[in-house]
């Protein structure tokens, strides 16, 4: 196989530059590594060679393969040494002026046929290329850390980038062993843009006093299948990285409500509670290990009242079968008896609104999140309203924990936790497709590989149902009066027509 770029330069020998150099050499390219700090390029090369040595010791590379790869990477000490490269990738500090100056200088060194690429994660490719004489040959080539393990690369077209440049870079990304996705030059590109819903909505839930950090993390992992909870993820990435990205994308989109940051992360950033690397974030860490917070115990109750289920409850037949299987007595009357535990299962609405609209006794009314098939989850989520009696809360908690499945009881919230977080993720993804940021297929691939979600956002929306996503968002907007929850036209139209969220118009 002929590699798309046989001689490449990588400017910046930090973690990103070293990772790019490693996979470029593995793809078959000769790599020159340059850094402005004395000795940094040589140290970067040594770090790359050390990775191949580890692979050799584990039996993944034989000695001959290791030596061939090692010979492909050289450290250089001047930009002039990159004159013969047919591709140069910069991976330097995220500073617009620094990058502009670098590319302007680089143009005077390489041939007119060379392709130039930036690994920027947050700056506009168009803005970086604006200082160049030939911006048409420059594109974004955004990898994720650690580069060899994160198998996705975003190829980003600036305003003047030629299509062939992106096509060739995407092919090279594939040769490097990555999934190459193509995006327009918009704030956050694909992954950082699509990721705005998860953490910001979880922060809003905490800010409303609905549940604590650990409970929200448990719910989203056990009920929706996320590998890390949003607060575990924020601790892992560190707030000095995450919060500025939140603010940057929010400002770049002219204060679009969907991307609104949280005062909670601003305060914690100011306090230096950044996450794992400082030993304290949303959780505490001892020797790098997260200190788990205990779950509230299942309450002990003397008896379980009969249960009446609202006729408007989501998945009502399934809920009735579940209650029967758990051994509770079901009421079948048009209205609940005077002692019954009243269950509602709304989509998007809070328990208070449902109790008021259906004229139910709020002191005995509990909500249960039934958006997700109970058999597919490891946790059930109940919600009280401000008037719910403690005995009714305890009875509901004990009932739904009878078969050993975990139960979280939260305060009233439109859309519980999973509904509103998932709907926010899906809605942002749909609007990215509406804006033409990328194709639906590239969006789902990028998010699944870049963020580790259980499915891509559009596949997630299809799984739970576009009409359910619409109902959740419309009702959230009613409860909160916040344009943050207005449904994207992409979602509205496909939901109304019964189409998959991945459907593209011909």
């Amino acid at each position: 196989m002929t590699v798309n770029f046989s001689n490449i330069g990588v400017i910046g020998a930090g973690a990103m530059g070293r990772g790019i150099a490693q996979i470029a050499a593995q793809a078959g390219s000769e790599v020159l590594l340059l850094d402005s700090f004395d000795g940094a390029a040589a140290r970067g090369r040594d770090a790359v060679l050390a990775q191949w040595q580890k692979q050799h010791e584990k039996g993944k590379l034989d000695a001959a393969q290791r030596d061939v790869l090692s010979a492909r990477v050289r450290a250089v000490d001047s930009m002039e040494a990159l004159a013969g490269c047919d591709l140069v990738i910069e991976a330097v500090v995220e500073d617009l002026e620094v990058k502009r100056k670098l590319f302007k200088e680089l143009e005077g060194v390489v041939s007119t046929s060379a392709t130039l690429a930036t690994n920027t994660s947050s700056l506009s490719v168009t803005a970086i290329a604006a200082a160049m004489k030939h911006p048409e040959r420059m594109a974004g080539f955004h990898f994720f850390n650690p580069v060899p393990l994160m198998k996705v690369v975003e190829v980003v077209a600036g305003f003047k980038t030629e299509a062939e440049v992106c096509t060739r870079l995407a092919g090279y990304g594939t040769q490097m062993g990555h999934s190459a996705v193509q995006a327009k030059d918009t704030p956050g590109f694909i992954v950082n843009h699509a990721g705005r819903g998860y953490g910001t909505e979880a922060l809003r839930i905490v800010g409303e006093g609905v549940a604590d950090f650990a409970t929200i993390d448990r719910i989203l992992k056990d009920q929706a299948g996320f590998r890390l909870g949003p607060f575990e993820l924020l601790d892992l990435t560190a707030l000095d990285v995450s919060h500025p990205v939140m603010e940057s994308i929010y400002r770049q989109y002219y204060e679009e409500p969907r991307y609104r940051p949280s005062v909670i992360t601003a305060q914690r950033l100011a306090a230096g509670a950044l996450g794992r690397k400082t030993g304290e974030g949303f959780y505490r860490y001892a020797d790098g290990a997260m200190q788990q917070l205990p779950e509230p115990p299942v309450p002990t109750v003397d008896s379980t009242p009969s249960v009446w289920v609202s006729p408007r409850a989501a998945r009502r037949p399934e809920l009735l079968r579940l209650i029967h299987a758990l051994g509770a007595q079901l009421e079948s009357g048009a209205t609940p008896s005077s002692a019954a535990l009243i269950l509602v299962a709304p989509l998007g609405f809070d328990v208070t609104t449902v109790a008021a609209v259906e004229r139910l006794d709020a002191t005995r009314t509990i909500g249960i999140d039934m958006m997700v098939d109970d058999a597919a989850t490891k946790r059930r989520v109940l919600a009280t309203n401000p008037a719910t009696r403690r005995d009714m809360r305890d009875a509901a908690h004990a009932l739904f924990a009878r078969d050993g499945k975990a139960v979280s009881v939260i305060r009233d919230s439109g859309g519980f936790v999973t509904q509103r977080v998932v709907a926010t993720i899906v809605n942002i993804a749909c609007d990215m497709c509406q804006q033409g940021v990328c194709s639906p297929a590239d969006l789902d691939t990028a998010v699944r590989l870049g963020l580790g979600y259980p499915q891509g956002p559009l596949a997630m929306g299809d799984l739970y149902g576009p009409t359910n996503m619409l109902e959740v968002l419309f009702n959230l907007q009613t409860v909160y009066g916040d344009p943050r929850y207005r449904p994207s036209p992409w979602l509205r139209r496909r939901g109304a027509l019964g189409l998959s969220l991945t459907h593209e118009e011909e």
Side-chain angles (χ1 to χ4, degrees):
M1 180 186 71
T2 302
V3 69
N4 280 13
F5 298 97
S6 57
N7 295 282
I8 82 161
V10 178
I11 303 178
M16 294 302 296
R18 295 196 303 266
I20 294 168
Q22 178 182 333
I23 64 171
Q26 290 168 183
S29 301
E30 300 292 326
V31 183
L32 300 180
L33 190 56
L34 172 67
D35 197 285
S36 60
F37 291 95
D38 287 343
R43 290 192 296 273
R45 179 182 183 274
D46 290 344
V48 173
L49 269 55
Q51 291 300 312
W52 289 324
Q53 177 61 25
K54 287 179 183 178
Q55 291 180 31
H56 170 61
E57 292 168 359
K58 293 177 180 178
K60 295 180 180 180
L61 284 178
D62 62 33
Q65 290 171 320
R66 178 201 61 195
D67 293 344
V68 166
L69 291 174
S70 299
R72 287 181 186 159
V73 180
R74 292 191 294 125
V76 297
D77 58 10
S78 71
M79 191 172 290
E80 286 70 27
L82 307 180
C85 292
D86 48 4
L87 169 66
V88 179
I89 306 167
E90 72 81 10
V92 302
V93 63
E94 282 288 272
D95 182 290
L96 179 60
E97 291 309 315
V98 169
K99 291 181 187 288
R100 278 179 167 172
K101 182 180 178 182
L102 185 152
F103 280 105
K104 189 173 182 179
E105 183 179 353
L106 195 55
E107 271 196 304
V109 172
V110 299
S111 74
T112 55
S113 62
T115 297
L116 304 180
T118 172
N119 184 57
T120 184
S121 60
S122 61
L123 299 175
S124 165
V125 173
T126 302
I128 295 170
M132 295 174 60
K133 293 179 181 178
H134 298 285
E136 66 275 5
R137 62 169 164 163
M138 202 273 266
F141 203 36
H142 177 220
F143 292 88
F144 296 82
N145 193 29
V147 176
L149 300 181
M150 297 293 286
K151 299 292 187 177
V152 63
V153 57
E154 296 175 323
V155 180
V156 184
F159 187 75
K160 294 185 177 180
T161 305
E162 289 181 349
E164 175 57 28
V165 169
C166 291
T167 299
R168 197 172 177 204
L169 282 171
Y172 187 48
T174 301
Q175 291 170 342
M176 289 168 145
H178 283 41
S179 292
V181 294
Q182 298 201 44
K184 289 201 312 190
D185 186 18
T186 49
F189 309 139
I190 302 176
V191 174
N192 284 331
H193 186 166
R196 291 311 89 215
Y198 193 47
T200 56
E201 192 61 27
L203 285 160
R204 287 180 67 81
I205 295 169
V206 165
E208 292 171 21
V210 172
D212 60 25
F213 311 121
T215 298
I216 292 170
D217 279 352
R218 291 185 186 113
I219 289 171
L220 288 166
K221 289 190 294 183
D222 292 350
Q223 197 173 46
F226 289 96
R227 188 172 61 193
L228 290 176
F231 300 104
E232 291 174 326
L233 184 60
L234 286 168
D235 273 2
L236 180 63
T237 56
L239 289 187
D240 57 341
V241 174
S242 300
H243 184 76
V245 171
M246 292 182 201
E247 289 190 330
S248 173
I249 291 179
Y250 179 60
R251 292 193 182 110
Q252 287 182 76
Y253 269 103
Y254 298 100
E255 301 186 355
E256 161 58 53
R258 290 191 182 108
Y259 312 128
R260 189 183 300 126
S262 171
V263 67
I264 294 171
T265 49
Q267 290 173 337
R268 286 172 171 265
L269 176 60
L274 306 182
R276 283 180 180 270
K277 70 182 184 182
T278 59
E280 181 181 10
F282 293 100
Y283 298 90
R284 291 184 180 275
Y285 298 84
D287 298 323
M290 186 176 77
Q291 305 301 292
Q292 292 282 359
L293 300 176
E295 287 208 53
V298 177
T300 301
V301 297
D302 295 331
S303 61
T304 302
S306 57
V307 181
W308 182 88
V309 178
S310 165
R312 301 182 187 179
R315 294 183 185 266
R316 188 171 189 270
E318 180 185 327
L319 181 55
L320 292 172
R321 288 193 297 272
L322 173 61
I323 294 167
H324 176 73
L326 292 172
Q329 180 183 345
L330 280 163
E331 294 191 5
S332 57
T335 58
S337 69
S338 60
L341 168 63
I342 301 170
L343 278 181
V344 298
L347 290 174
F349 279 129
D350 56 2
V351 179
T352 297
T353 299
V354 175
V357 169
E358 297 187 22
R359 299 181 181 277
L360 303 173
D361 179 356
T363 66
R364 296 182 286 131
T365 301
I366 295 278
I368 181 169
D369 186 357
M370 292 296 292
M371 183 183 79
V372 184
D373 182 353
D374 184 75
T377 71
K378 298 177 182 177
R379 182 175 297 270
R380 298 180 182 121
V381 180
L382 307 176
T384 59
N385 69 76
T388 303
R389 294 192 334 232
R390 183 59 184 251
D391 62 319
M392 288 294 170
R393 169 192 167 132
D394 289 349
H397 188 168
L399 170 63
F400 285 102
R402 274 185 183 176
D403 60 356
K405 185 169 283 192
V407 174
S408 290
V409 184
I410 63 174
R411 295 186 185 276
D412 210 358
S413 165
F416 299 89
V417 172
T418 296
Q419 289 180 23
R420 61 191 284 184
V421 170
V422 167
T424 299
I425 290 170
V426 171
N427 196 36
I428 287 173
C430 284
D431 216 52
M432 290 173 67
C433 292
Q434 188 67 50
Q435 295 174 36
V437 171
C438 58
S439 71
D442 276 1
L443 190 149
D444 270 8
T445 296
V447 172
R448 184 172 47 80
L449 295 176
L451 296 176
Y453 287 3
Q455 307 90 19
L458 302 176
M460 195 181 297
D462 282 346
L463 174 67
Y464 297 125
T467 54
N468 283 342
M469 295 292 95
L470 274 174
E471 185 172 350
V472 169
L473 289 164
F474 280 132
N475 293 340
L476 282 170
Q477 209 173 1
T478 299
V479 170
Y480 293 106
D482 192 335
R484 173 184 183 84
Y485 302 111
R486 69 193 189 284
S488 164
W490 184 278
L491 174 57
R492 291 184 67 159
R493 290 168 184 147
R494 282 152 186 76
L497 297 172
L499 297 173
S500 165
L501 295 181
T502 61
H503 176 80
E504 295 188 74
E505 296 177 48
E506 296 182 2

